Amino acid sequence: ITRIYRIWQRDLLVMIVISNEQAVKNETAIMRHLLQYDILLHIRRPMISSSAFESLIQAIGIEQLNKLVSHQQHDLAAEMGFTRLHFNSQNREKGLHVKYQGTLICSTSTHNIAEFNSLDVSWNYAFLSPFYPSISKQGYGEGSTILKELPRRTNQTCKLIALGGIHKDNLQQALDAGADDVAMLGSIWQAENPVSYLASCLSKIEL
């Protein structure tokens, strides 16, 4: 496998893939193949139980924990050996991240440039969405102004990750517009072959 890197101060890998909210056919096998590439895999399952979460991670492979990021079951994830946790904006506002910062790598979600600019140095990176009309959520992101907002970015300590409608034909545009990296969900999981699709996306990134 060709290993493609973007050299960053905080060692963020070149691309992020987010799991589907609902399990898909052959999911764990696909995830294991995706993780052969230099990516971070975000596990996002809003309603997952602790037992189901533990079973999912074991099926993916405990040896992959350094490349997995948990959106839910944070305490359990930390106990299992996760090094990265993600907190949505609501959880961030509740301060649920505070006890993990300083020991684990924390990321979050934002939805406009002002919100992104307000993040402090404790956040490793943040999603900014929707960049483009969503692939996984029909109608979401239509009329988004985020691309026009990017010149107003003042926060350079937190990495800005483009999310929302990212696919192989626009990911370089998002990077050229000022995103530090990209995250994909719908384009990966709706592809006929998610692993081959990821490879084609990686091949399009200009280092």
Side-chain angles (χ1 to χ4, degrees), residues 66-131:
N66 66 320
K67 298 176 74 174
L68 301 180
V69 186
S70 180
H71 285 225
Q72 283 79 34
Q73 298 291 340
H74 295 125
D75 285 343
L76 177 56
E79 290 174 9
M80 293 180 69
F82 274 69
T83 60
R84 300 171 182 268
L85 302 176
H86 187 88
F87 298 85
N88 62 28
S89 56
Q90 291 83 5
N91 287 340
R92 185 182 72 242
E93 290 169 2
K94 293 176 182 177
L96 300 186
H97 60 285
V98 173
K99 67 178 180 179
Y100 303 105
Q101 289 185 319
T103 57
L104 299 181
I105 298 170
C106 295
S107 57
T108 190
S109 300
T110 62
H111 300 91
N112 59 66
I113 199 64
E115 184 182 5
F116 177 85
N117 285 336
S118 71
L119 298 177
D120 61 33
V121 296
S122 56
W123 296 102
N124 186 266
Y125 62 92
F127 295 148
L128 180 59
S129 67
F131 250 66

